[in-house]
Amino acid sequence: MMRRSLELTGLVAAGGGLGALWSTGPGWCVLGALGGAIAWLALDNSRARRVLAWLREPSAARLPNVGSVWGEVVDRTRRVLKVYNRKARKSQARLQELLAAIQASPNGVVLLGEQGTIDWCNLMAGEHLGFDAKRDLGQRIRNLVRDPAFIAYLNQRDFSQPVEIDGRDARPGHPQRISIQIFPYAKGRRLLLTRDVTTIELAEAMRRDFVANVSHEIRSPLTVIAGSIETLQTLPLQDAERAHFLELMRQQAQRMLALVDDLLTLSRLEGSPNPDDSQWVAAADLLAEAGSQAQALADVLHAGQQTVILCEGPAVEVAGARGELLSAVGNLLTNAVRYTPAHGRVEAGWRLLPDDALEFYVADTGPGIAPEHLPRLTERFYRVDRSRSRGSGGTGLGLAIVKHVIQRHGGQLLIDSTPGVGSTFRLRLPPARVLVRERT
Ligand code: ADP
């Protein structure tokens, strides 16, 4: 507004000057008008150049002070620039957020250019594939990831399936498997995704082992049963022989039943939430019930020559699932009875620790277990001595169940053993699951 009024004042002054010159004669008047026009053009040109100079690097802090219509041009450009800058800042912030999200991803992301060059990648991709996510930008990926399976994948150009290679941290006894898949997304450009599949692979290997183990465990008794049936059908047997084969079949059927029971117990444990503290069980009851079964087993297996001692402990209650706790205590007791020979001794009971944690212990004078076996004892189907385990009705799942149960109750299974001397198995429950009725 101010500038426009200045313009008007200039025009009025020029008009006034022209009027004054006209009165002195028309020749002077034309000359004066020409001079005025030239001066005005020069001024306008200088303003235009200042505006052009500013437009080369427009900045709101250095606005050229030009009047006339050029001032208006500068002002409007400045406003358009302001809006544009705000939008650019917003887009930049969004882009940064997106890149930060991709950086935070547990998967690797690489953008490949036409020649297979790394145009951009996140840190995880570098970790998975063994290159430096910053330094190696612009490098061709085939020069950095030399795994033959990956090179073959790149060459075949069929990216419908992922390819798996060893990760850079893979070494003997410490597998690391990385799955890689490429997705073409624009002319010559490809998105490469990487994923650490080590745990999935391990779980899959465990599942395969488990199925193989279960099949084997079921196959052995079934073979005996099938063989016995065939013998009974084809051979003319004496009564005593028939009774022998029937007894064999009964034992093997029993073995399969025990196996199926243990498998069902494990799957129930895996598929249910951890027991809470809404149920309280008297520790002495668990010992009495499991103890009497162990004593009965000792009588059968060792003709009453094994000593089984159950020690009366403090009057305590335990928070948890009765059936699960009974199976854990019972498994440890029957193991001790089964593996300790006749004339040996098994002692079990509950004891309170100084911090009011509660421990169930079973100590035996059995064969003991060599230290190298101890870390693997709770693996499914792991046995130190296969024939001894099977011979006494073992499924190879007992300690796996015990460990699962105690962990679901927030506790631990502890094993101490000396070969030739004996073993002590302990179940330790945290104070939060223990209610002391009376200390002894
Ligand atoms: P199993 O049904 O074979 O007894 P477990 O899981 O209960 O399976 O035990 C795993 C292995 O640990 C057994 O095969 C046995 O070799 C060993 N073991 C368990 N308890 C004892 C023990 N009290 N004394 C010696 N060895 C034991």
Side-chain angles (χ1 to χ4, degrees), residues 110-113 153-154 157-161 181-193:
V110 185
L111 299 185
L112 293 176
Y153 181 65
L154 273 183
R157 296 186 172 271
D158 170 12
F159 306 127
S160 55
Q161 295 297 320
Q181 189 160 11
I182 287 179
F183 301 89
Y185 68 94
K187 194 171 161 283
R189 301 186 64 81
R190 286 165 288 174
L191 169 72
L192 181 149
L193 298 181

Side-chain angles (χ1 to χ4, degrees), residues 3-4 44 47-48 50-52 54-55 58 63-64 66-81:
R3 254 184 224 137
R4 209 167 273 160
D44 197 55
R47 282 170 175 161
R50 283 170 64 200
V51 171
L52 273 178
W54 175 75
L55 277 175
L63 286 178
V66 285
S68 78
V69 74
W70 292 112
E72 192 71 21
V73 169
V74 168
D75 199 42
R76 287 191 185 187
T77 310
R78 184 186 59 82
R79 268 186 260 157
V80 170
L81 271 177

